[in-house]
PDB file of all heavy atoms in Angstrom:
ATOM      1  N   ASP A 156      70.347 114.877 -11.857  1.00  0.00           N
ATOM      2  CA  ASP A 156      70.003 116.313 -11.943  1.00  0.00           C
ATOM      3  C   ASP A 156      71.075 117.250 -11.437  1.00  0.00           C
ATOM      4  O   ASP A 156      70.786 118.355 -10.950  1.00  0.00           O
ATOM      5  CB  ASP A 156      68.698 116.573 -11.198  1.00  0.00           C
ATOM      6  CG  ASP A 156      67.521 115.899 -11.843  1.00  0.00           C
ATOM      7  OD1 ASP A 156      67.492 115.817 -13.076  1.00  0.00           O
ATOM      8  OD2 ASP A 156      66.644 115.404 -11.096  1.00  0.00           O
ATOM      9  N   ARG A 157      72.325 116.814 -11.535  1.00  0.00           N
ATOM     10  CA  ARG A 157      73.401 117.721 -11.133  1.00  0.00           C
ATOM     11  C   ARG A 157      74.673 117.407 -11.905  1.00  0.00           C
ATOM     12  O   ARG A 157      74.867 116.296 -12.436  1.00  0.00           O
ATOM     13  CB  ARG A 157      73.679 117.647  -9.633  1.00  0.00           C
ATOM     14  CG  ARG A 157      74.251 116.329  -9.151  1.00  0.00           C
ATOM     15  CD  ARG A 157      74.462 116.370  -7.628  1.00  0.00           C
ATOM     16  NE  ARG A 157      75.004 115.163  -7.128  1.00  0.00           N
ATOM     17  CZ  ARG A 157      76.287 114.937  -6.845  1.00  0.00           C
ATOM     18  NH1 ARG A 157      77.186 115.893  -7.119  1.00  0.00           N
ATOM     19  NH2 ARG A 157      76.702 113.810  -6.397  1.00  0.00           N
ATOM     20  N   TRP A 158      75.532 118.409 -12.001  1.00  0.00           N
ATOM     21  CA  TRP A 158      76.840 118.266 -12.618  1.00  0.00           C
ATOM     22  C   TRP A 158      77.804 117.712 -11.579  1.00  0.00           C
ATOM     23  O   TRP A 158      77.812 118.133 -10.430  1.00  0.00           O
ATOM     24  CB  TRP A 158      77.330 119.596 -13.144  1.00  0.00           C
ATOM     25  CG  TRP A 158      76.545 120.014 -14.335  1.00  0.00           C
ATOM     26  CD1 TRP A 158      75.547 120.950 -14.405  1.00  0.00           C
ATOM     27  CD2 TRP A 158      76.700 119.520 -15.654  1.00  0.00           C
ATOM     28  NE1 TRP A 158      75.055 121.032 -15.669  1.00  0.00           N
ATOM     29  CE2 TRP A 158      75.751 120.168 -16.463  1.00  0.00           C
ATOM     30  CE3 TRP A 158      77.557 118.557 -16.249  1.00  0.00           C
ATOM     31  CZ2 TRP A 158      75.616 119.883 -17.820  1.00  0.00           C
ATOM     32  CZ3 TRP A 158      77.415 118.294 -17.586  1.00  0.00           C
ATOM     33  CH2 TRP A 158      76.456 118.953 -18.369  1.00  0.00           C
ATOM     34  N   CYS A 159      78.635 116.765 -12.016  1.00  0.00           N
ATOM     35  CA  CYS A 159      79.544 116.084 -11.117  1.00  0.00           C
ATOM     36  C   CYS A 159      81.016 116.261 -11.538  1.00  0.00           C
ATOM     37  O   CYS A 159      81.293 116.244 -12.735  1.00  0.00           O
ATOM     38  CB  CYS A 159      79.221 114.609 -11.083  1.00  0.00           C
ATOM     39  SG  CYS A 159      77.544 114.200 -10.576  1.00  0.00           S
ATOM     40  N   ASP A 160      81.881 116.339 -10.544  1.00  0.00           N
ATOM     41  CA  ASP A 160      83.315 116.382 -10.773  1.00  0.00           C
ATOM     42  C   ASP A 160      83.877 114.962 -10.666  1.00  0.00           C
ATOM     43  O   ASP A 160      83.354 114.139  -9.912  1.00  0.00           O
ATOM     44  CB  ASP A 160      84.038 117.212  -9.708  1.00  0.00           C
ATOM     45  CG  ASP A 160      83.622 118.677  -9.693  1.00  0.00           C
ATOM     46  OD1 ASP A 160      82.973 119.142 -10.676  1.00  0.00           O
ATOM     47  OD2 ASP A 160      83.927 119.371  -8.711  1.00  0.00           O
ATOM     48  N   VAL A 161      84.938 114.705 -11.366  1.00  0.00           N
ATOM     49  CA  VAL A 161      85.672 113.433 -11.244  1.00  0.00           C
ATOM     50  C   VAL A 161      87.131 113.742 -10.923  1.00  0.00           C
ATOM     51  O   VAL A 161      87.788 114.489 -11.654  1.00  0.00           O
ATOM     52  CB  VAL A 161      85.577 112.575 -12.536  1.00  0.00           C
ATOM     53  CG1 VAL A 161      86.490 111.338 -12.403  1.00  0.00           C
ATOM     54  CG2 VAL A 161      84.148 112.159 -12.793  1.00  0.00           C
ATOM     55  N   ARG A 162      87.576 113.186  -9.787  1.00  0.00           N
ATOM     56  CA  ARG A 162      88.986 113.320  -9.386  1.00  0.00           C
ATOM     57  C   ARG A 162      89.741 112.124  -9.943  1.00  0.00           C
ATOM     58  O   ARG A 162      89.301 110.983  -9.835  1.00  0.00           O
ATOM     59  CB  ARG A 162      89.086 113.384  -7.869  1.00  0.00           C
ATOM     60  CG  ARG A 162      90.534 113.543  -7.387  1.00  0.00           C
ATOM     61  CD  ARG A 162      90.603 114.175  -6.047  1.00  0.00           C
ATOM     62  NE  ARG A 162      89.984 115.471  -6.086  1.00  0.00           N
ATOM     63  CZ  ARG A 162      89.317 116.007  -5.047  1.00  0.00           C
ATOM     64  NH1 ARG A 162      89.190 115.356  -3.923  1.00  0.00           N
ATOM     65  NH2 ARG A 162      88.762 117.189  -5.154  1.00  0.00           N
ATOM     66  N   TRP A 163      90.903 112.384 -10.495  1.00  0.00           N
ATOM     67  CA  TRP A 163      91.768 111.334 -11.092  1.00  0.00           C
ATOM     68  C   TRP A 163      92.972 111.068 -10.245  1.00  0.00           C
ATOM     69  O   TRP A 163      93.602 111.985  -9.731  1.00  0.00           O
ATOM     70  CB  TRP A 163      92.142 111.719 -12.514  1.00  0.00           C
ATOM     71  CG  TRP A 163      90.976 111.560 -13.441  1.00  0.00           C
ATOM     72  CD1 TRP A 163      90.075 112.507 -13.787  1.00  0.00           C
ATOM     73  CD2 TRP A 163      90.586 110.365 -14.072  1.00  0.00           C
ATOM     74  NE1 TRP A 163      89.135 111.979 -14.623  1.00  0.00           N
ATOM     75  CE2 TRP A 163      89.410 110.638 -14.807  1.00  0.00           C
ATOM     76  CE3 TRP A 163      91.092 109.070 -14.126  1.00  0.00           C
ATOM     77  CZ2 TRP A 163      88.763 109.696 -15.555  1.00  0.00           C
ATOM     78  CZ3 TRP A 163      90.429 108.123 -14.885  1.00  0.00           C
ATOM     79  CH2 TRP A 163      89.280 108.423 -15.570  1.00  0.00           C
ATOM     80  N   PHE A 164      93.269 109.791 -10.104  1.00  0.00           N
ATOM     81  CA  PHE A 164      94.376 109.291  -9.324  1.00  0.00           C
ATOM     82  C   PHE A 164      95.286 108.466 -10.223  1.00  0.00           C
ATOM     83  O   PHE A 164      94.847 107.867 -11.195  1.00  0.00           O
ATOM     84  CB  PHE A 164      93.890 108.353  -8.198  1.00  0.00           C
ATOM     85  CG  PHE A 164      92.907 109.013  -7.280  1.00  0.00           C
ATOM     86  CD1 PHE A 164      91.559 109.021  -7.586  1.00  0.00           C
ATOM     87  CD2 PHE A 164      93.335 109.610  -6.115  1.00  0.00           C
ATOM     88  CE1 PHE A 164      90.634 109.619  -6.727  1.00  0.00           C
ATOM     89  CE2 PHE A 164      92.428 110.203  -5.234  1.00  0.00           C
ATOM     90  CZ  PHE A 164      91.070 110.232  -5.555  1.00  0.00           C
TER      91      PHE A 164
END
Side-chain angles (χ1 to χ4, degrees):
D156 296 323
R157 68 181 180 97
W158 289 101
C159 302
D160 297 347
V161 174
R162 181 155 301 145
W163 285 92
F164 302 86

